[in-house]
Amino acid sequence: MDDFDLFPFNSTICVNFRHLLSYDPDLADAIESEYVRFEPYLRRATKEFILSNHPELDPSNDGGGGGGHSRNQVRTYFVALYNAPTVLPVRALRTGTIGRFTSVSGTVTRTSDVRPELLVGSFRCRKCGLLAPDILQQYHLTRPALCRNPRCQNRNPSEFHLEIRAGGGGGDSGGSEFVDWQRLRVQENADEIPPGSMPRTIDVVVRNEMVERAKAGDRVVLTGSLVVIPDGNALARAGDPARASATYAGARAGREAATGG
């Protein structure tokens, strides 16, 4: 058994935000102000950089030597930014921070189990068999709204089934991408609670190598972006009004000393 079977391949690159700020202030300012918008492009640029310097990691190069790396089947690479200029308390998160790159400090009070999350899905039409690849998921299962086959024009989302693995097309055609996912409940630190006030909490979603990095009782600094997502439980209960819950998604979690945040 070789080393690649014993140790999972790391698909996340950690970047010091202060280094980015000193290297290219304009880029750092754009990322800080519109992180949610630029995050997919950061992932794409990271993948291009890695594959240009390490072509043996390209899963499409399966024919020749270096096939041991391709067994990892890494199709998406991620950037974990840390060491933001300012760290906010939980109570300071407001609508002005939605979509921005921010850091928040708090204490982990609860962690969920690690579960798989569908990041990008490929769906096959049940009527004509045409594949609709690379459908980005938006915090819930998102199927194609219309079949691309002009002769089919299937508009029923339930008539598309998820392709778990790539078909025999080779390269990146077909198949879906899954990542590890974990939810943390983070409460504001005891020394940041105003006298006479109740502590406030937020839900934090961590992915990939950031899962299982923090446990209940850890004081952490999280970097990522504040997003508002529909409350799926409320939507599922008949008669209940739909609510929105604030979630600190895409965060880089872990102890400050362990992560350098």
Side-chain angles (χ1 to χ4, degrees):
M1 181 180 299
D2 79 27
D3 294 340
F4 297 107
D5 296 323
L6 297 173
F7 303 102
F9 186 78
N10 193 326
S11 60
T12 302
I13 293 181
C14 299
V15 177
N16 190 329
F17 187 78
R18 294 183 186 272
H19 294 172
L20 179 62
L21 188 61
S22 62
Y23 175 76
D24 192 336
D26 293 336
L27 177 60
D29 182 68
I31 292 175
E32 185 176 11
S33 59
E34 297 186 78
Y35 178 75
V36 170
R37 173 188 172 190
F38 288 109
E39 195 268 341
Y41 299 99
L42 291 175
R43 296 205 314 252
R44 185 184 305 172
T46 301
K47 180 177 181 179
E48 293 178 357
F49 171 77
I50 291 176
L51 296 185
S52 64
N53 288 275
H54 299 278
E56 71 275 8
L57 297 178
D58 191 346
S60 63
N61 298 338
D62 249 349
H69 292 280
S70 64
R71 290 202 302 270
N72 294 286
Q73 296 298 318
V74 176
R75 298 175 57 188
T76 303
Y77 294 88
F78 298 87
V79 178
L81 299 170
Y82 67 96
N83 203 10
T86 57
V87 179
L88 302 176
V90 173
R91 194 172 291 265
L93 295 177
R94 293 290 187 271
T95 55
T97 59
I98 294 177
R100 296 176 59 91
F101 173 74
T102 54
S103 284
V104 61
S105 62
T107 302
V108 178
T109 60
R110 187 183 304 173
T111 62
S112 72
D113 296 332
V114 177
R115 302 184 178 96
E117 178 189 23
L118 180 63
L119 185 68
V120 178
S122 294
F123 297 85
R124 192 174 298 277
C125 178
R126 294 181 185 272
K127 292 186 177 180
C128 68
L130 184 65
L131 184 70
D134 302 332
I135 304 297
L136 293 177
Q137 303 301 299
Q138 303 294 332
Y139 303 104
H140 65 277
L141 184 62
T142 305
R143 294 185 173 93
L146 174 67
C147 181
R148 296 181 302 150
N149 187 346
R151 297 184 178 180
C152 178
Q153 296 291 306
N154 180 14
R155 296 178 180 270
N156 186 356
S158 62
E159 291 294 325
F160 293 89
H161 71 271
L162 181 66
E163 289 283 308
I164 302 297
R165 300 187 182 278
D172 285 345
S173 61
S176 301
E177 299 178 38
F178 293 86
V179 294
D180 290 332
W181 173 94
Q182 186 180 32
R183 185 187 298 273
L184 309 179
R185 177 65 58 86
V186 178
Q187 179 177 289
E188 60 182 329
N189 297 317
D191 56 350
E192 297 172 346
I193 304 175
S197 300
M198 295 293 292
R200 295 185 179 178
T201 61
I202 58 171
D203 288 333
V204 178
V205 172
V206 293
R207 297 183 174 95
N208 302 307
E209 285 83 9
M210 300 301 116
V211 302
E212 299 287 13
R213 297 285 292 271
K215 62 182 183 300
D218 286 348
R219 184 165 177 159
V220 297
V221 172
L222 307 159
T223 62
S225 182
L226 182 70
V227 298
V228 180
I229 60 176
D231 188 342
N233 293 329
L235 295 176
R237 293 192 295 266
D240 284 359
R243 296 180 299 168
S245 61
T247 300
Y248 202 72
R252 182 179 187 271
R255 297 183 184 88
E256 297 181 33
T259 63

